[in-house]
Amino acid sequence: MLITFEGIDGAGKSTQIRKLRKWLAEQEVEVLVLREPGGTATAEKIRDILLESRDNISPIGELLLFSASRAELVQKVILPALETGKTVILDRFFDSTTAYQGYGRGIDRRMLQTVIDLSVFSLRPDLTFYLDISPENAMLRKFSEKSLPIAFDDTELDRIERSGLDFFRRVRQGYLDIIKEEAERFVVLDALDKPQTLHKRIIESVSPHVPGKRNPSESSTGDGR
Ligand code: TYD
C-alpha cells in the first residue's frame, strides 16, 4: 500500500507521518517512510540543488529535477518495497509537482503530466492525505515568534519557500482543484485541527486497508489495541 501526504509547506505533515508510522508499526505492519525529493544518494544530491541552490532555476529545470529525483526513488526504493509487501508512507509525490510546478510556476498541465507519467512508472497512491492550511497560517506556524509580513528572502527559508505568498496561494488552489478531479483518492484534513484529532481521522481512513483492522471503530483510539 502506498500512502502519500500533501500540503503546502508548514501544513504539519511530518507530525502526522510520525504518528501514523508508529501506529502502523503497532499493528505489525512493515512500514517504510520516505520523502520527496530525496531517498537515494543521487536523489539527495538533486534535493540539495533544488532546495539549497541560490541560483534562479527555471520552472522547466525545476520540474525535470523533481522528476529525476522521483524516478530514482520510485524505481530503486518504492517499487521494490511495495513488491515485498511493505506499506510505504511518502511525504509528497506527484501531486506536489502538479500543485507547485503546475499551479505555482505556471507550467502547462498537459506537458507536466507527460513528465509525471515518465517518472512514476504507473505508480499511484492508494490513499492521499491533504492537510489544508492558508499560506498565511502556514508561515505564521513556521515563524511562530514573528508576525506577518514575513520577509520571503529570510535565510531560514529554502529556495521554494522563498517563492512568496502569491505562489503559495496558487499552490493551495492547485491542490483544491486536483482533489475535485480525484476525490476518491483524497482525505482532506484541516491542518489547524489538533494533532491528535487529525491522527484519529487518519487512522480511521487507513484502518480498512490494514489486515485484521476492517472495522475503523476498533482502531480509533490510536493506542494500538
Ligand atoms: P521539504 O523541506 O521536504 O518541505 P516540506 O517539509 O514542506 O515537505 O521541501 C520540499 C519542497 O519542494 C517543498 O517546498 C515542496 C517542493 N516540491 C515541489 O515544488 N515539487 C515537487 O514535485 C516536490 C516533491 C516538492
Side-chain angles (χ1 to χ4, degrees):
M1 173 169 48
L2 174 62
I3 302 170
T4 60
F5 280 77
E6 295 284 350
I8 63 169
D9 304 60
K13 292 180 281 105
S14 319
T15 306
Q16 292 307 322
I17 288 172
R18 220 175 19 249
K19 283 177 176 288
L20 177 59
R21 165 197 243 161
K22 183 166 176 276
W23 182 81
L24 280 169
E26 284 164 4
Q27 315 309 308
E28 293 174 3
V29 173
E30 262 200 282
V31 200
L32 182 62
V33 177
L34 299 162
R35 66 154 186 211
E36 277 208 6
T40 70
T42 302
E44 287 295 327
K45 283 186 185 160
I46 298 172
R47 178 185 176 88
D48 257 14
I49 298 171
L50 279 163
L51 300 186
E52 304 310 328
S53 173
R54 290 265 149 191
D55 215 16
N56 190 10
I57 302 174
S58 69
I60 297 289
E62 189 177 277
L63 166 67
L64 293 174
L65 285 167
F66 276 115
S67 303
S69 164
R70 175 167 306 136
E72 283 288 298
L73 185 68
V74 169
Q75 200 171 28
K76 292 188 183 157
V77 185
I78 301 178
L79 290 175
L82 292 173
E83 269 161 31
T84 62
K86 285 193 182 127
T87 291
V88 176
I89 302 176
L90 188 50
D91 186 348
R92 299 190 179 280
F93 196 31
F94 56 73
D95 297 315
S96 285
T97 305
T98 309
Y100 280 74
Q101 280 64 55
Y103 286 75
R105 302 288 192 223
I107 297 177
D108 171 73
R109 259 313 270 286
R110 266 195 24 224
M111 192 165 76
L112 186 113
Q113 197 55 51
T114 307
V115 178
I116 289 178
D117 290 345
L118 195 66
S119 66
V120 299
F121 304 89
S122 303
L123 181 63
R124 298 196 73 74
D126 297 287
L127 204 53
T128 300
F129 293 102
Y130 168 65
L131 286 153
D132 188 48
I133 191 168
S134 72
E136 290 85 352
N137 280 332
M139 281 294 147
L140 277 174
R141 229 185 214 186
K142 189 170 170 75
F143 294 103
S144 46
E145 73 285 6
K146 299 183 186 175
S147 59
L148 287 171
I150 285 155
F152 274 94
D153 57 356
D154 197 300
T155 46
E156 286 175 51
L157 298 176
D158 65 38
R159 197 184 58 81
I160 303 279
E161 287 169 331
R162 288 195 298 272
S163 303
L165 271 183
D166 279 344
F167 173 82
F168 283 104
R169 287 192 186 110
R170 292 196 298 277
V171 173
R172 185 193 195 192
Q173 189 54 52
Y175 276 124
L176 298 175
D177 285 358
I178 302 166
I179 290 162
K180 274 192 224 135
E181 288 165 19
E182 237 189 302
E184 71 293 344
R185 173 162 65 86
F186 282 93
V187 177
V188 180
L189 301 166
D190 183 343
L192 295 181
D193 279 349
K194 289 200 187 89
Q196 200 49 33
T197 308
L198 291 170
H199 176 60
K200 195 170 164 236
R201 286 220 35 215
I202 289 169
I203 58 174
E204 277 167 6
S205 302
V206 172
S207 289
H209 298 270
V210 175
K213 282 272 164 199
R214 300 265 170 243
N215 177 2
S217 61
E218 281 172 20
S219 48
S220 58
T221 56
D223 61 2
R225 275 174 296 141

